[in-house]
Structures are given as C-alpha cells and as structure tokens.
Amino acid sequence: MLGKRYKYLDYARGIAIIFVMYCRYFYEKTFFKNWIYTFHIPLFFIITGIIIGKKDDNGVYNVRKDFRNLMIPYYIMGTISVAALILLNIINEIHWSTDLVYNIKSLALFNGIKALWFLPCLFFAKLFYFNIKQSVNDTRKLSFVIILVSIFSFVKLDFISIFFYNILRRVFIATTFLFIGEFLSVRIQKEKINIFKIIILFLLTLIMTKIMGNMDLYYVNLKDYFGYFLSAITGSMFILLICKYIEDKKINIKLLEYIGKNTLIILGTHMVLGYYVKKVYYLITGSNVFVSNLYLSAFIELCIVLFIEIIIILIFNKLKEIKNAKRK
C-alpha cells in the first residue's frame, strides 16, 4: 500500500483547503464559519493519520523525508511570504520594521507566517507520535498515553510563555488527531457508506457547532475538551464519508482531486495572494469588497486566488519534472 493514493483522501484535502481559504477571505463571524472551524484543520491531521495507518512501513518514521517535505517548504514559502508582506506594507505606505521582526521570529520559532504554522505543527506531531508508538507497543497503553497528551493540551500553565505554549499545545492536539486518523484508517475503508449516515453526521455537526460556537486551533481557543474533539471528529467524518461515497460511486471530480494533491502550495501562499488580489482590486475600483454580499465577495476572492494558485502549481510541477529529468 505504500505510495498508493486514495481519491477520497485527495477529495477531502481539496474540500478542507477550500474551506481554509474561504474562512481567510470571509472575515465576519457567522454560524457557517464556526461550523467550518470545528473541523477543517483537524481534518488535515486525521487524513495524515489515515495515511499512516495505510502505509506498510513497519512503523518506521523517516525524519529526513518529512523534514524535506514539510520543513524545507515551510522555510522557503515563509521567506517568500515575509518578503511579499514587506512589499505590501511599502505599497500601502505602512511602517514595516515591526512586522518584519515579528514575522522572522514567528518563522524561526515554528509559529509560521499565516497558515504556514500548520507545517511545523504536523512535522513535530508526526515525530512525537512515532516516538510514542515506538516506546509503547501495546494498543491500550498507546491509547492511554494519547488521552493524557490530549488532556494536557487543554491544561493552562501560566508560568510558560503563551507564544511557546500554544505551539506545544497545537502539537499535542495534532498528535491526538494523528492517532484518531490511524484508528479510523481500516474502518473507513471497510465502511458501507449510505446517504442516511452522512445526513446524521451532518446534523450532528450542526448541533455541535451550535453548542460550541466559535473555536480556533491556531489560538487554541477550543473551549470544552470533549466538545472540541467530538466536533472535530464528527465534522471530519462527515467530509470523509461524503468523499468516500463519491469515490465508491466512481464520480470523478478532477479539479477537486487536483487541488487535494497540491494543498501544500496553496496552504503556504493563499493568504498573501489574497492580500495582493484585494490590493489590485482596490487600486482599480477603490473598493475592498467585490460585491456587497460578504459571502459572495469571499467566494469571488477564493475563485480568483484559486485560479492563480492552479497556475503556480502547474509551473511548480513542470519545473519539478524538468529537475527530475535532469537527475536521470
């Protein structure tokens, strides 16, 4: 199974990154945005856990490979983002030195620039998770350790800097979702998907959103321990079962699959691209919104940025092909 791609996971990643983009461009706090925030980032971690469960690698973690795949892109895209934000501040005639110092600090200390925080979080969560698995061979003991890790992520320690502690808490939460994903990997593959199950899960996500309200993993604003994990798992399962149902019915959504295969580039660039798209639009029209309806305005911005992202991905993949061809 090593190296095999599963369409439903690419579909799920595609949906998750579209949700991430939409929430970045839609600034108002609404029920719809709260609903997305309950699961869109946990879904990425759970998908990674599912892939871990499907790999036939004897539980061996290739640190160098993950560093190359996650941390090198993190620093490259982070450096580009810092430069792009400085240029944007200069264009807007805003003093940029304070932002520069903060962004360099965030980049160096794994807090990331905008959505890039996800990459070091995933890297350290995988490193932590595989070390736990190697130390604890028994499934029950592993479950117990992961429960302790998840509980600790909700404990507030005032003597630790909030900056560093939030980074650590995110890693612990991500580790928990990796375990959940691996636990679900075989079960989802064998699951008989029907519309009734999907509808029930959807209704549960709405109920949990109503109960939990606004949550944000980046700021570790997660409120209730059980409520947060239940919301995240329910929402993630809802998306995964929809995508599995689409795959089982042999419905091909090539654009969504393509987006899902290239989420890393989109994750690292969509926010800065959005700033520039809005700036160009403002210079042309004198307005910061595309239309008066904020939902539609965010959707238009998403479509424009996604179109640019696809061009960037095509160029990047072509350069990668040329590089690989030269190596051969």
Side-chain angles (χ1 to χ4, degrees):
M1 289 186 184
L2 188 60
K4 181 180 177 182
R5 295 199 74 96
Y6 294 84
K7 276 191 177 183
Y8 79 95
L9 295 180
D10 286 328
Y11 289 154
R13 265 192 293 248
I15 291 170
I17 197 65
I18 287 170
F19 279 161
V20 167
M21 293 173 72
Y22 189 81
C23 286
R24 297 293 182 185
Y25 305 145
F26 186 80
Y27 301 107
E28 297 293 320
K29 290 182 180 179
T30 64
F31 182 85
F32 178 62
K33 188 171 182 178
N34 289 346
W35 176 74
I36 291 173
Y37 262 76
T38 60
F39 65 83
H40 70 329
I41 299 299
L43 177 56
F44 278 112
F45 294 123
I46 289 174
I47 289 170
T48 303
I50 291 172
I51 293 169
I52 290 171
K54 292 181 181 297
K55 283 187 175 181
D56 184 21
D57 56 4
N58 298 317
V60 177
Y61 179 49
N62 193 328
V63 181
R64 290 184 178 181
K65 183 180 177 181
D66 251 13
F67 187 87
R68 185 172 65 249
N69 292 339
L70 294 172
M71 296 307 294
I72 290 178
Y74 166 73
Y75 283 116
I76 291 172
M77 289 190 289
T79 303
I80 293 170
S81 295
V82 170
L85 290 171
I86 290 172
L87 179 60
L88 189 65
N89 282 342
I90 292 171
I91 293 170
N92 290 330
E93 298 181 348
I94 297 172
H95 191 62
W96 50 266
S97 60
T98 304
D99 283 346
L100 175 62
V101 172
Y102 176 79
N103 285 333
I104 290 175
K105 176 186 174 184
S106 291
L107 188 65
L109 299 177
F110 312 117
N111 194 49
I113 308 295
K114 307 302 177 184
L116 279 173
W117 68 267
F118 175 84
L119 298 181
C121 181
L122 178 58
F123 174 75
F124 287 113
K126 288 181 75 174
L127 184 62
F128 185 44
Y129 181 53
F130 275 96
N131 273 287
I132 293 173
K133 284 183 69 176
Q134 287 177 356
S135 302
V136 183
N137 294 320
D138 184 75
T139 304
R140 290 184 180 180
K141 289 180 180 178
L142 176 62
S143 302
F144 178 71
V145 171
I146 293 297
I147 289 170
L148 290 180
V149 168
S150 67
I151 291 171
F152 187 75
S153 67
F154 273 72
V155 176
K156 294 182 179 180
L157 302 175
D158 295 331
F159 60 88
I160 301 178
S161 165
I162 192 68
F163 182 89
F164 292 106
Y165 191 42
N166 277 351
I167 294 171
L168 188 63
R169 291 172 74 189
R170 287 184 220 128
V171 170
F172 288 160
I173 291 165
T175 303
T176 306
F177 286 126
L178 292 179
F179 171 76
I180 291 167
E182 186 170 14
F183 175 80
L184 293 172
S185 60
V186 176
R187 290 158 183 82
I188 291 177
Q189 196 66 31
K190 292 180 179 179
E191 183 77 17
K192 291 183 179 179
I193 315 299
N194 59 57
I195 295 296
F196 179 73
K197 288 180 181 178
I198 292 171
I199 291 172
I200 293 297
L201 277 171
F202 176 63
L203 293 175
L204 284 173
T205 65
L206 296 181
I207 293 168
M208 291 308 302
T209 303
K210 184 67 176 177
I211 293 170
M212 299 301 295
N214 180 46
M215 294 186 291
D216 193 322
L217 180 53
Y218 176 76
Y219 295 105
V220 202
N221 174 29
L222 307 176
K223 300 180 181 178
D224 177 68
Y225 171 83
F226 292 103
Y228 172 67
F229 281 106
L230 183 59
S231 298
I233 294 167
T234 305
S236 297
M237 284 298 296
F238 166 64
I239 299 297
L240 286 166
L241 290 192
I242 285 178
C243 295
K244 188 67 170 57
Y245 180 82
I246 292 169
E247 183 184 41
D248 290 346
K249 294 296 181 181
K250 301 189 185 307
I251 301 169
N252 290 319
I253 310 176
K254 290 185 178 180
L255 179 60
L256 185 62
E257 184 182 359
Y258 185 77
I259 292 168
K261 287 178 179 178
N262 295 281
T263 52
L264 191 147
I265 294 172
I266 299 172
L267 184 79
T269 58
H270 74 275
M271 197 68 190
V272 174
L273 273 177
Y275 290 149
Y276 274 90
V277 165
K278 275 205 166 179
K279 184 61 183 178
V280 171
Y281 185 76
Y282 177 79
L283 292 173
I284 295 170
T285 66
S287 173
N288 282 319
V289 292
F290 295 94
V291 292
S292 58
N293 185 296
L294 294 179
Y295 287 96
L296 184 56
S297 181
F299 180 74
I300 292 170
E301 185 175 355
L302 185 152
C303 290
I304 294 170
V305 174
L306 203 52
F307 177 76
I308 298 169
E309 291 283 9
I310 289 171
I311 294 172
I312 292 171
I313 291 166
L314 287 170
I315 294 170
F316 175 81
N317 287 340
K318 190 64 180 177
L319 292 172
K320 193 174 179 181
E321 284 178 19
I322 294 169
K323 185 180 178 181
N324 290 336
K326 285 181 178 179
R327 284 181 178 176
K328 291 179 181 179

